[in-house]
Amino acid sequence: MTYIYRLAGDDLELAEADLNGFLESQKINEEASRNGRLAETESHPRQLKRLALVHEVSEKISEASTVEELEVEEVEGSFAVRKEAVADREIEDIEGLIGDEIKSEENEVDLENPDTVFKAYVLDDRVVLGRQVLDIDRGLFRKRSNEKRPFSSPVSMDPVLARVLVNLSGVKPGEHVLDPFCGTGGILIEAGLCGVGVHGRDMNNEMVEGAEENLEAYGIINHDIQEKEISRVETDGYDALITDLPYGKSSEMTEDAVNNFVDLIEEFDGRVVFMYNEASVGGLEADFEVYVHKNLTRYIFIH
Ligand SMILES: C[S@@+](CC[C@H](N)C(=O)[O-])C[C@H]1O[C@@H](n2cnc3c(N)ncnc32)[C@H](O)[C@@H]1O
């Protein structure tokens, strides 16, 4: 069976990397193949809700260069066909055309609350028909945005971005992650919700207490957050290191914080994923650029 992922966001390469990191975290030894906004895998991973930049997942039924050539699937109960324009092409009444093929004495169309949702993805050169298996409620990320957390600060990271960093690390459930500049715990919340053990360090005790409060508000009771300056942080025993380096006026920082961090990761065996406000640091080049707002672009590094 082939699975189809409809990617979200403006940066489709980042969405693809989010998906591939997620596959690795599920111990799936396969990279997704991508065509524009659609990516496919042959494997069926668990924990699909962990994905940060995917709108929905479907099982592929068929694909063809014209709607007429598409093979449809028999279905009992109620169904609906919904189209998804993933390219700049329109096929008029594609839902009706496919619905007519599916319709039988065993089923009925219900556009409001169907048992089965078929998705018709219109690409530049072909049409793909799938049966939706998961509609990811991306609004759930907003429930964890800075202003919804018990402890907030201008340095807090957006939950979607934090989840992307966790996925890019490929960290698996049951493994352990360290965020040495944990701030309010934005990254640790997302890692903890993926079943990963969370460890945070920050030199500011207000952040340490705030991060603990935030983690507990989202049900992450097992945590290890300590007040520690980066030069005293130890990395033994962790599977991944994920962080957001201090920058700008809103983040208190010491002069050597970034250099000390670069030294620390040179000796670390596991995957390192971090954000910084410059495209290169300590001889490392950024892998992705993230536009935050008019005056702020940030960069993701995978080491
Ligand atoms: C950009 S913020 C991290 C934000 C975090 N990802 C969140 O979601 O809240 C950087 C953090 O690094 C901490 N920090 C700055 N310099 C430090 C140092 N030398 N050692 C340890 N922590 C430091 C700051 O207190 C701040 O909380």
CSV table of all heavy atoms in Angstrom, one decimal, residues 50-92:
chain,number,residue,atom,x,y,z
A,50,ARG,N,2.4,13.0,15.0
A,50,ARG,CA,3.6,13.6,15.4
A,50,ARG,C,4.1,14.6,14.3
A,50,ARG,O,4.9,15.5,14.5
A,50,ARG,CB,4.7,12.6,15.6
A,50,ARG,CG,6.1,13.1,15.9
A,50,ARG,CD,7.0,12.0,16.4
A,50,ARG,NE,8.4,12.5,16.2
A,50,ARG,CZ,9.4,12.0,16.8
A,50,ARG,NH1,9.3,11.0,17.6
A,50,ARG,NH2,10.6,12.5,16.6
A,51,LEU,N,3.6,14.4,13.0
A,51,LEU,CA,4.0,15.3,11.9
A,51,LEU,C,3.7,16.7,12.2
A,51,LEU,O,2.6,17.0,12.6
A,51,LEU,CB,3.4,14.8,10.6
A,51,LEU,CG,3.9,13.4,10.1
A,51,LEU,CD1,2.9,12.8,9.2
A,51,LEU,CD2,5.3,13.7,9.4
A,52,ALA,N,4.6,17.6,11.8
A,52,ALA,CA,4.4,19.0,12.0
A,52,ALA,C,3.9,19.7,10.7
A,52,ALA,O,3.1,20.7,10.8
A,52,ALA,CB,5.7,19.7,12.4
A,53,LEU,N,4.4,19.3,9.6
A,53,LEU,CA,4.1,20.0,8.3
A,53,LEU,C,3.3,19.2,7.3
A,53,LEU,O,3.6,19.1,6.1
A,53,LEU,CB,5.4,20.6,7.7
A,53,LEU,CG,6.1,21.6,8.6
A,53,LEU,CD1,7.4,22.0,8.0
A,53,LEU,CD2,5.2,22.9,8.8
A,54,VAL,N,2.3,18.5,7.8
A,54,VAL,CA,1.4,17.6,6.9
A,54,VAL,C,0.0,17.9,7.3
A,54,VAL,O,-0.4,18.0,8.5
A,54,VAL,CB,1.8,16.1,7.2
A,54,VAL,CG1,0.8,15.3,6.5
A,54,VAL,CG2,3.2,15.8,6.6
A,55,HIS,N,-0.8,18.2,6.2
A,55,HIS,CA,-2.3,18.4,6.5
A,55,HIS,C,-3.1,17.1,6.7
A,55,HIS,O,-4.0,17.1,7.5
A,55,HIS,CB,-2.9,19.1,5.3
A,55,HIS,CG,-2.5,20.6,5.2
A,55,HIS,ND1,-2.9,21.5,6.1
A,55,HIS,CD2,-1.8,21.2,4.2
A,55,HIS,CE1,-2.5,22.7,5.7
A,55,HIS,NE2,-1.8,22.5,4.6
A,56,GLU,N,-2.7,16.1,5.8
A,56,GLU,CA,-3.5,14.9,5.9
A,56,GLU,C,-2.7,13.7,5.3
A,56,GLU,O,-1.7,13.9,4.5
A,56,GLU,CB,-4.8,15.0,5.1
A,56,GLU,CG,-4.6,15.2,3.6
A,56,GLU,CD,-5.8,15.4,2.8
A,56,GLU,OE1,-6.9,14.9,3.3
A,56,GLU,OE2,-5.7,15.9,1.7
A,57,VAL,N,-3.2,12.5,5.6
A,57,VAL,CA,-2.5,11.3,5.1
A,57,VAL,C,-3.7,10.5,4.4
A,57,VAL,O,-4.7,10.3,5.0
A,57,VAL,CB,-1.8,10.5,6.2
A,57,VAL,CG1,-1.1,9.3,5.6
A,57,VAL,CG2,-0.9,11.4,7.0
A,58,SER,N,-3.4,9.9,3.3
A,58,SER,CA,-4.4,9.1,2.6
A,58,SER,C,-3.7,7.8,2.1
A,58,SER,O,-2.5,7.8,1.9
A,58,SER,CB,-5.0,9.8,1.4
A,58,SER,OG,-5.6,11.0,1.7
A,59,GLU,N,-4.5,6.7,2.0
A,59,GLU,CA,-4.0,5.5,1.3
A,59,GLU,C,-4.3,5.7,-0.2
A,59,GLU,O,-5.4,6.1,-0.6
A,59,GLU,CB,-4.8,4.3,1.8
A,59,GLU,CG,-4.4,3.8,3.1
A,59,GLU,CD,-5.2,2.6,3.6
A,59,GLU,OE1,-6.1,2.2,2.9
A,59,GLU,OE2,-4.9,2.1,4.7
A,60,LYS,N,-3.3,5.4,-1.0
A,60,LYS,CA,-3.5,5.6,-2.4
A,60,LYS,C,-4.4,4.5,-3.1
A,60,LYS,O,-4.1,3.3,-2.8
A,60,LYS,CB,-2.1,5.6,-3.1
A,60,LYS,CG,-2.1,6.0,-4.5
A,60,LYS,CD,-0.7,6.2,-4.9
A,60,LYS,CE,-0.4,6.6,-6.3
A,60,LYS,NZ,1.0,6.8,-6.4
A,61,ILE,N,-5.3,4.9,-3.9
A,61,ILE,CA,-6.2,3.9,-4.6
A,61,ILE,C,-5.7,3.7,-6.0
A,61,ILE,O,-5.5,2.6,-6.5
A,61,ILE,CB,-7.6,4.3,-4.5
A,61,ILE,CG1,-8.1,4.4,-3.1
A,61,ILE,CG2,-8.5,3.4,-5.4
A,61,ILE,CD1,-9.5,5.0,-2.9
A,62,SER,N,-5.5,4.8,-6.7
A,62,SER,CA,-5.0,4.8,-8.1
A,62,SER,C,-4.5,6.1,-8.5
A,62,SER,O,-4.7,7.1,-7.9
A,62,SER,CB,-6.2,4.3,-9.0
A,62,SER,OG,-7.2,5.3,-9.0
A,63,GLU,N,-3.8,6.1,-9.6
A,63,GLU,CA,-3.4,7.4,-10.3
A,63,GLU,C,-3.5,7.2,-11.8
A,63,GLU,O,-3.3,6.1,-12.3
A,63,GLU,CB,-2.1,7.9,-9.8
A,63,GLU,CG,-0.9,7.1,-10.3
A,63,GLU,CD,0.4,7.8,-9.8
A,63,GLU,OE1,0.8,8.7,-10.5
A,63,GLU,OE2,1.0,7.4,-8.8
A,64,ALA,N,-3.7,8.3,-12.5
A,64,ALA,CA,-3.9,8.2,-14.0
A,64,ALA,C,-3.7,9.6,-14.5
A,64,ALA,O,-3.7,10.6,-13.8
A,64,ALA,CB,-5.2,7.6,-14.3
A,65,SER,N,-3.5,9.6,-15.9
A,65,SER,CA,-3.3,11.0,-16.4
A,65,SER,C,-4.7,11.7,-16.7
A,65,SER,O,-4.7,12.9,-16.8
A,65,SER,CB,-2.5,10.9,-17.7
A,65,SER,OG,-2.8,9.8,-18.5
A,66,THR,N,-5.7,10.9,-16.7
A,66,THR,CA,-7.1,11.6,-16.8
A,66,THR,C,-8.0,11.0,-15.7
A,66,THR,O,-7.8,9.9,-15.3
A,66,THR,CB,-7.7,11.4,-18.2
A,66,THR,OG1,-8.0,10.0,-18.3
A,66,THR,CG2,-6.8,11.8,-19.3
A,67,VAL,N,-9.0,11.8,-15.4
A,67,VAL,CA,-10.0,11.3,-14.4
A,67,VAL,C,-10.7,10.1,-14.9
A,67,VAL,O,-10.9,9.1,-14.1
A,67,VAL,CB,-11.1,12.4,-14.2
A,67,VAL,CG1,-12.1,12.0,-13.1
A,67,VAL,CG2,-10.5,13.7,-13.8
A,68,GLU,N,-11.0,10.0,-16.1
A,68,GLU,CA,-11.7,8.8,-16.7
A,68,GLU,C,-10.9,7.5,-16.5
A,68,GLU,O,-11.5,6.5,-16.4
A,68,GLU,CB,-12.0,9.0,-18.2
A,68,GLU,CG,-13.0,10.1,-18.5
A,68,GLU,CD,-12.5,11.5,-18.3
A,68,GLU,OE1,-11.2,11.7,-18.3
A,68,GLU,OE2,-13.3,12.4,-18.0
A,69,GLU,N,-9.6,7.6,-16.5
A,69,GLU,CA,-8.7,6.4,-16.4
A,69,GLU,C,-8.5,6.0,-14.9
A,69,GLU,O,-8.0,4.9,-14.7
A,69,GLU,CB,-7.4,6.7,-17.0
A,69,GLU,CG,-7.3,6.8,-18.5
A,69,GLU,CD,-6.0,7.3,-18.9
A,69,GLU,OE1,-5.7,8.6,-18.8
A,69,GLU,OE2,-5.2,6.6,-19.4
A,70,LEU,N,-9.0,6.8,-14.0
A,70,LEU,CA,-8.7,6.4,-12.6
A,70,LEU,C,-9.5,5.2,-12.2
A,70,LEU,O,-10.7,5.1,-12.6
A,70,LEU,CB,-9.2,7.6,-11.7
A,70,LEU,CG,-8.3,8.7,-11.3
A,70,LEU,CD1,-9.1,9.7,-10.5
A,70,LEU,CD2,-7.0,8.3,-10.7
A,71,GLU,N,-8.9,4.3,-11.4
A,71,GLU,CA,-9.7,3.2,-10.9
A,71,GLU,C,-10.3,3.6,-9.6
A,71,GLU,O,-9.5,4.2,-8.8
A,71,GLU,CB,-8.8,2.0,-10.7
A,71,GLU,CG,-8.5,1.2,-11.9
A,71,GLU,CD,-7.5,0.1,-11.7
A,71,GLU,OE1,-7.5,-0.5,-10.6
A,71,GLU,OE2,-6.7,-0.1,-12.7
A,72,VAL,N,-11.5,3.3,-9.3
A,72,VAL,CA,-12.1,3.7,-8.0
A,72,VAL,C,-12.3,2.4,-7.2
A,72,VAL,O,-12.0,1.3,-7.6
A,72,VAL,CB,-13.5,4.4,-8.2
A,72,VAL,CG1,-13.3,5.7,-9.0
A,72,VAL,CG2,-14.5,3.5,-8.8
A,73,GLU,N,-12.7,2.6,-5.9
A,73,GLU,CA,-12.8,1.5,-5.0
A,73,GLU,C,-14.3,1.4,-4.6
A,73,GLU,O,-15.0,2.4,-4.4
A,73,GLU,CB,-12.0,1.9,-3.8
A,73,GLU,CG,-11.7,0.8,-2.8
A,73,GLU,CD,-10.8,1.3,-1.7
A,73,GLU,OE1,-11.3,2.1,-0.9
A,73,GLU,OE2,-9.7,0.9,-1.6
A,74,GLU,N,-14.7,0.1,-4.4
A,74,GLU,CA,-16.1,-0.1,-3.9
A,74,GLU,C,-16.1,0.3,-2.4
A,74,GLU,O,-15.2,0.0,-1.7
A,74,GLU,CB,-16.5,-1.6,-4.0
A,74,GLU,CG,-16.7,-2.0,-5.5
A,74,GLU,CD,-17.1,-3.5,-5.6
A,74,GLU,OE1,-17.4,-4.1,-4.5
A,74,GLU,OE2,-17.0,-4.0,-6.7
A,75,VAL,N,-17.2,0.8,-2.0
A,75,VAL,CA,-17.3,1.2,-0.6
A,75,VAL,C,-18.8,1.0,-0.1
A,75,VAL,O,-19.7,1.2,-0.9
A,75,VAL,CB,-16.8,2.7,-0.4
A,75,VAL,CG1,-17.7,3.7,-1.1
A,75,VAL,CG2,-16.7,3.0,1.1
A,76,GLU,N,-18.9,0.6,1.1
A,76,GLU,CA,-20.3,0.5,1.7
A,76,GLU,C,-20.4,1.7,2.7
A,76,GLU,O,-19.5,2.3,3.1
A,76,GLU,CB,-20.4,-0.8,2.5
A,76,GLU,CG,-20.4,-2.0,1.6
A,76,GLU,CD,-20.6,-3.3,2.5
A,76,GLU,OE1,-20.9,-3.2,3.7
A,76,GLU,OE2,-20.4,-4.3,1.8
A,77,GLY,N,-21.7,2.1,2.9
A,77,GLY,CA,-22.0,3.2,3.8
A,77,GLY,C,-21.9,4.5,3.1
A,77,GLY,O,-21.9,4.5,1.9
A,78,SER,N,-21.7,5.6,3.8
A,78,SER,CA,-21.7,6.9,3.2
A,78,SER,C,-20.3,7.3,2.8
A,78,SER,O,-19.3,6.9,3.4
A,78,SER,CB,-22.3,7.9,4.1
A,78,SER,OG,-21.6,8.0,5.3
A,79,PHE,N,-20.2,8.1,1.8
A,79,PHE,CA,-18.9,8.6,1.3
A,79,PHE,C,-19.0,10.0,0.7
A,79,PHE,O,-20.1,10.5,0.4
A,79,PHE,CB,-18.3,7.6,0.3
A,79,PHE,CG,-18.9,7.7,-1.1
A,79,PHE,CD1,-18.3,8.6,-2.0
A,79,PHE,CD2,-20.1,7.0,-1.4
A,79,PHE,CE1,-18.9,8.7,-3.3
A,79,PHE,CE2,-20.6,7.2,-2.7
A,79,PHE,CZ,-20.0,8.0,-3.7
A,80,ALA,N,-17.9,10.6,0.6
A,80,ALA,CA,-17.8,11.9,-0.1
A,80,ALA,C,-16.5,12.0,-0.8
A,80,ALA,O,-15.5,11.3,-0.4
A,80,ALA,CB,-17.8,13.1,0.9
A,81,VAL,N,-16.5,12.7,-2.0
A,81,VAL,CA,-15.2,12.9,-2.7
A,81,VAL,C,-14.9,14.3,-2.6
A,81,VAL,O,-15.7,15.2,-2.8
A,81,VAL,CB,-15.4,12.5,-4.2
A,81,VAL,CG1,-14.1,12.7,-4.9
A,81,VAL,CG2,-15.9,11.1,-4.4
A,82,ARG,N,-13.6,14.6,-2.2
A,82,ARG,CA,-13.2,16.0,-2.0
A,82,ARG,C,-12.0,16.2,-2.9
A,82,ARG,O,-11.1,15.4,-2.9
A,82,ARG,CB,-12.9,16.3,-0.6
A,82,ARG,CG,-14.2,16.3,0.3
A,82,ARG,CD,-14.0,16.7,1.7
A,82,ARG,NE,-15.3,16.5,2.3
A,82,ARG,CZ,-15.6,16.1,3.5
A,82,ARG,NH1,-14.5,15.8,4.3
A,82,ARG,NH2,-16.8,16.0,4.0
A,83,LYS,N,-11.9,17.3,-3.5
A,83,LYS,CA,-10.7,17.6,-4.4
A,83,LYS,C,-9.7,18.4,-3.7
A,83,LYS,O,-10.1,19.2,-2.8
A,83,LYS,CB,-11.2,18.2,-5.7
A,83,LYS,CG,-11.3,19.7,-5.7
A,83,LYS,CD,-11.4,20.3,-7.0
A,83,LYS,CE,-12.0,21.7,-6.8
A,83,LYS,NZ,-12.7,22.2,-7.8
A,84,GLU,N,-8.5,18.3,-4.0
A,84,GLU,CA,-7.4,19.0,-3.4
A,84,GLU,C,-6.5,19.5,-4.6
A,84,GLU,O,-5.8,18.6,-5.2
A,84,GLU,CB,-6.6,18.1,-2.5
A,84,GLU,CG,-6.1,18.7,-1.3
A,84,GLU,CD,-7.1,19.4,-0.4
A,84,GLU,OE1,-7.9,18.7,0.3
A,84,GLU,OE2,-7.2,20.6,-0.4
A,85,ALA,N,-6.5,20.8,-4.9
A,85,ALA,CA,-5.7,21.3,-6.0
A,85,ALA,C,-4.3,21.4,-5.5
A,85,ALA,O,-4.0,22.3,-4.7
A,85,ALA,CB,-6.2,22.6,-6.5
A,86,VAL,N,-3.4,20.5,-5.8
A,86,VAL,CA,-2.0,20.6,-5.3
A,86,VAL,C,-1.1,21.1,-6.5
A,86,VAL,O,0.1,21.1,-6.4
A,86,VAL,CB,-1.5,19.3,-4.8
A,86,VAL,CG1,-2.0,19.0,-3.4
A,86,VAL,CG2,-1.8,18.1,-5.7
A,87,ALA,N,-1.7,21.6,-7.5
A,87,ALA,CA,-1.0,22.3,-8.6
A,87,ALA,C,-1.9,23.4,-9.2
A,87,ALA,O,-3.0,23.5,-8.7
A,87,ALA,CB,-0.6,21.3,-9.7
A,88,ASP,N,-1.4,24.1,-10.2
A,88,ASP,CA,-2.2,25.2,-10.7
A,88,ASP,C,-3.1,24.7,-11.8
A,88,ASP,O,-3.2,25.2,-12.9
A,88,ASP,CB,-1.3,26.3,-11.3
A,88,ASP,CG,-0.6,27.0,-10.3
A,88,ASP,OD1,-1.1,27.1,-9.1
A,88,ASP,OD2,0.5,27.5,-10.5
A,89,ARG,N,-3.9,23.7,-11.5
A,89,ARG,CA,-4.8,23.1,-12.6
A,89,ARG,C,-6.1,22.8,-12.0
A,89,ARG,O,-6.2,22.4,-10.8
A,89,ARG,CB,-4.1,21.8,-13.1
A,89,ARG,CG,-4.8,21.2,-14.3
A,89,ARG,CD,-3.8,20.3,-15.0
A,89,ARG,NE,-3.8,19.0,-14.4
A,89,ARG,CZ,-4.4,17.9,-14.8
A,89,ARG,NH1,-5.1,17.9,-15.9
A,89,ARG,NH2,-4.2,16.7,-14.2
A,90,GLU,N,-7.1,23.0,-12.7
A,90,GLU,CA,-8.5,22.8,-12.3
A,90,GLU,C,-9.1,21.7,-13.1
A,90,GLU,O,-9.0,21.7,-14.4
A,90,GLU,CB,-9.3,24.1,-12.6
A,90,GLU,CG,-10.1,24.8,-11.5
A,90,GLU,CD,-10.6,24.0,-10.3
A,90,GLU,OE1,-11.5,23.2,-10.5
A,90,GLU,OE2,-10.0,24.3,-9.2
A,91,ILE,N,-9.9,20.8,-12.6
A,91,ILE,CA,-10.7,19.9,-13.4
A,91,ILE,C,-12.1,20.0,-12.9
A,91,ILE,O,-12.4,19.8,-11.7
A,91,ILE,CB,-10.2,18.4,-13.2
A,91,ILE,CG1,-8.8,18.2,-13.6
A,91,ILE,CG2,-11.1,17.5,-14.0
A,91,ILE,CD1,-8.2,16.8,-13.6
A,92,GLU,N,-12.9,20.6,-13.7
A,92,GLU,CA,-14.3,20.9,-13.3
A,92,GLU,C,-15.0,19.7,-12.9
A,92,GLU,O,-15.0,18.6,-13.5
A,92,GLU,CB,-15.0,21.6,-14.5
A,92,GLU,CG,-16.0,22.6,-14.0
A,92,GLU,CD,-16.6,23.4,-15.2
A,92,GLU,OE1,-15.7,23.9,-16.0
A,92,GLU,OE2,-17.8,23.3,-15.4
